[in-house]
Amino acid sequence: MLPYGARPIAEARMKGQRPADLLIVSLVGPVDEQNPVIVAQPGKEYDWRFMLGLKACVFARLGVRFTPVVLQIAAQWPEWLAVWDVDAKEGADCIAHIKLDCLDKRKFGAADMAAIYWPWTAYENKQFKGEA
């Protein structure tokens, strides 16, 4: 199952096309952004294969379990992945990696991965908000 807003992107990917912009994956419902927005529900399993090689930022807030979604997306090898706290207006790069005890596998899924979050500087946060 695809999350809301992902179908046009997935269909374009099947035709060899890709979005030119950063994708917003919102775990907080609809958001007012110029970039393409995909709305997903935390805790639900989705087909994220269309994310291969794309740039995405997951929008979340305190109390939202965003790491499972981040790892599901990361397992599809996006070009760049970040998380944005919509309330604190702060972001972090997501560095996803294969867990050491899973390295002997041939194929990896979200359960085989872990994430490290690298907080953005004050300037990077302003830049993301379009204030720099």
Side-chain angles (χ1 to χ4, degrees):
M1 171 177 32
L2 293 170
Y4 180 82
R7 183 161 309 285
I9 298 164
E11 289 173 356
R13 296 306 308 264
M14 288 189 278
K15 295 176 187 172
Q17 301 169 343
R18 59 186 290 140
D21 298 320
L22 169 77
L23 297 178
I24 304 299
V25 177
S26 175
L27 301 180
V28 296
V31 291
D32 185 24
E33 289 290 323
Q34 292 181 356
N35 293 53
V37 176
I38 297 164
V39 179
Q41 293 179 6
K44 234 179 170 181
E45 293 284 325
Y46 293 105
D47 181 354
W48 294 103
R49 290 178 293 177
F50 66 92
M51 294 297 294
L52 176 68
L54 299 181
K55 297 177 183 178
C57 187
V58 176
F59 280 28
R61 64 172 36 106
L62 188 65
V64 172
R65 293 191 63 236
F66 59 86
T67 296
V69 175
V70 166
L71 293 177
Q72 288 174 23
I73 295 170
Q76 303 306 317
W77 306 109
E79 179 181 330
W80 180 77
L81 185 57
V83 175
W84 178 253
D85 182 327
V86 297
D87 295 328
K89 303 210 181 322
E90 294 179 342
D93 288 331
C94 174
I95 302 157
H97 61 89
I98 305 299
K99 295 176 188 174
L100 287 176
D101 59 341
C102 297
L103 287 175
D104 60 347
K105 294 183 175 184
R106 291 183 184 264
K107 188 174 179 182
F108 304 104
D112 303 315
M113 302 184 84
I116 299 168
Y117 298 100
W118 193 270
W120 293 347
T121 64
Y123 178 76
E124 288 171 312
N125 288 321
K126 284 183 180 182
Q127 193 175 30
F128 189 77
K129 292 187 292 186
E131 297 173 358

